[in-house]
Amino acid sequence: MAVLVVVVVVVLLWLVTGVRVVQQYERGVVFRLGRVRGQVREPGLTMLVPVLDRMRKVNVQVVTMPVPAQEGITKDNVSVSVDAVLYFRVVEPIKATVDVQNYGFAMLQVAQTSLRSIIGKSELDDLLSGRENLHQGLEVMLESPAAGWGVHIDRVEIKDVSLPDSMKRSMARQAEADRERRARIITADGEFQAAAKLAEAASKMAETPAAMQLRMLQTVVEVAAEKNSTLVLPFPVELLRFFEASTVRLTGAPAATAATAPTVPPPATGADAEHS
C-alpha cells in the first residue's frame, strides 16, 4: 500500500507539472522534444506532457511601436527629420516564434529602413500635407516582410516632421509674400470693379443732366447730417455750361467769345482806392 500511495502521488505531481494556463490575449506554441506542434494552444487550461513538452506564449495584442526620428534628404533636397508610429499584431504565432528570432526588434528595424526610404522618394510638400499617400506607401513596404513573420500591419503613421530653422524662416517669408500678393490682387480687382461701376454711372448721368444735380443734393444732405460747422458745396461744371448756353441764347454773342473774354474792372482812382 505504501508503494502504491507513493506511485499515485508521483503520478499526480507529474500531471500537475504539465498543467498550463493560457491567457485570453495569448496563444501557446508547444515544442515536443524540440519540434513544434502543428496546433496552437487556445486560451484556457491546457495540458502538456511533462519533461517532453515546452510551451512558449505569444502575445497577440496590438503592439504600438514608436519609430525613432530618421534624418534624410527629400526629393527636392531639403534636410528633414521624420518620426513615425507603427501598429501591428501577431496573427500566426508559429511563424512569429520559429521564423524570426525577435519579431518586435525585426519590425522596428524594417520600419526605420522603410521610413528613410520614403523620405528620399518624397518631396517636402508631400511630407507636410500629403501624408495619407505616404502612410499607404509605408504600409505596403512593411507588409511584405511582416507577412513572412506572421505579423499583420494595422497601420503606420508619420507623427512629426522637423525642419531646419532656416527652412522655417524661408517658408514663413514665402507664405507672407503669397498673402501680400493675394491682398494686392484683391485690392486691385476691387478698384477695377469700382472704376467700372463709376464709369457706368457717369455714362448714365451724362444722358440725364438732372441726375447730376440730384446726386449733388444727396451728397449735400449726407454731409449736412453729420452736424458739421463747415459745408463745402461743389459747383458742377454742367451748371456753368448751362449758364453759358443761357447767356448765349439771350445775348446772341458767340459762345467762344463769351467764354474766353475776361471781365476786367476799370482802374480805381485814388479816392476809390482810399475808400476801399
Side-chain angles (χ1 to χ4, degrees), residues 17-38:
T17 56
V19 176
R20 296 290 187 275
V21 176
V22 180
Q23 302 295 331
Q24 182 66 38
Y25 55 86
E26 295 175 336
R27 298 295 182 270
V29 179
V30 178
F31 294 87
R32 177 167 295 177
L33 296 178
R35 298 177 64 112
V36 64
R37 304 289 293 175

Side-chain angles (χ1 to χ4, degrees), residues 190-248:
E191 292 179 355
F192 175 78
Q193 294 180 8
K197 292 297 182 180
L198 288 175
E200 183 180 354
S203 62
K204 291 292 184 181
M205 290 182 179
E207 297 175 359
T208 308
M212 181 61 72
Q213 304 299 324
L214 295 176
R215 180 57 183 163
M216 182 188 68
L217 294 176
Q218 183 180 359
T219 304
V220 171
V221 171
E222 292 178 357
V223 173
E226 298 295 333
K227 297 181 181 180
N228 296 324
S229 59
T230 302
L231 178 62
V232 179
L233 181 62
F235 198 76
V237 179
E238 286 77 5
L239 188 58
L240 294 177
R241 292 176 181 174
F242 173 74
F243 290 149
E244 180 183 357
S246 300
T247 304
V248 170

Side-chain angles (χ1 to χ4, degrees), residues 48 55 59 61 65 75 84 98 100 131 142 149-150 154 160 170 190-191 207 210-211 219 222 225 231 238 241 266:
L48 302 178
M55 186 176 68
N59 195 320
Q61 290 177 309
M65 177 179 293
K75 192 175 181 180
V98 177
V100 61
R131 295 187 181 182
L142 293 173
W149 301 333
D154 282 350
D160 188 23
S170 299
E191 292 179 355
E207 297 175 359
T219 304
E222 292 178 357
L231 178 62
E238 286 77 5
R241 292 176 181 174

Side-chain angles (χ1 to χ4, degrees), residues 86-100:
L86 175 64
Y87 302 90
F88 68 92
R89 58 188 176 89
V90 176
V91 293
E92 298 182 33
I94 294 179
K95 283 187 177 182
T97 305
V98 177
D99 294 349
V100 61

Side-chain angles (χ1 to χ4, degrees), residues 55-270:
M55 186 176 68
R56 182 174 177 181
K57 298 178 181 180
V58 180
N59 195 320
V60 294
Q61 290 177 309
V62 176
V63 179
T64 302
M65 177 179 293
V67 181
Q70 303 296 312
E71 296 184 358
I73 300 177
T74 61
K75 192 175 181 180
D76 49 354
N77 299 324
V78 178
S79 299
V80 295
S81 177
V82 182
D83 57 351
V85 59
L86 175 64
Y87 302 90
F88 68 92
R89 58 188 176 89
V90 176
V91 293
E92 298 182 33
I94 294 179
K95 283 187 177 182
T97 305
V98 177
D99 294 349
V100 61
Q101 182 178 9
N102 186 341
Y103 65 88
F105 181 75
M107 289 302 303
L108 178 61
Q109 296 303 311
V110 74
Q112 293 179 3
T113 305
S114 301
L115 184 58
R116 286 194 297 267
S117 177
I118 207 70
I119 291 173
K121 296 179 181 178
S122 306
E123 296 184 355
L124 180 60
D125 292 340
D126 298 333
L127 291 174
L128 296 177
S129 59
R131 295 187 181 182
E132 292 298 330
N133 296 331
L134 298 182
H135 296 167
Q136 296 177 2
L138 278 173
E139 187 173 349
V140 171
M141 295 176 67
L142 293 173
E143 278 181 351
S144 179
W149 301 333
V151 176
H152 173 71
I153 304 298
D154 282 350
R155 61 189 305 178
V156 56
E157 294 183 353
I158 295 176
K159 289 199 304 183
D160 188 23
V161 178
S162 300
L163 300 174
D165 294 336
S166 59
M167 179 57 63
K168 292 180 181 180
R169 290 192 295 268
S170 299
M171 293 177 65
R173 289 195 300 268
Q174 179 183 1
E176 183 178 357
D178 183 66
R179 288 193 297 268
E180 185 176 356
R181 176 183 63 85
R182 285 183 292 176
R184 290 183 178 180
I185 291 175
I186 293 173
T187 302
D189 185 63
E191 292 179 355
F192 175 78
Q193 294 180 8
K197 292 297 182 180
L198 288 175
E200 183 180 354
S203 62
K204 291 292 184 181
M205 290 182 179
E207 297 175 359
T208 308
M212 181 61 72
Q213 304 299 324
L214 295 176
R215 180 57 183 163
M216 182 188 68
L217 294 176
Q218 183 180 359
T219 304
V220 171
V221 171
E222 292 178 357
V223 173
E226 298 295 333
K227 297 181 181 180
N228 296 324
S229 59
T230 302
L231 178 62
V232 179
L233 181 62
F235 198 76
V237 179
E238 286 77 5
L239 188 58
L240 294 177
R241 292 176 181 174
F242 173 74
F243 290 149
E244 180 183 357
S246 300
T247 304
V248 170
R249 286 196 301 269
L250 292 176
T251 60
T257 304
T260 58
T263 302
V264 181
T269 61

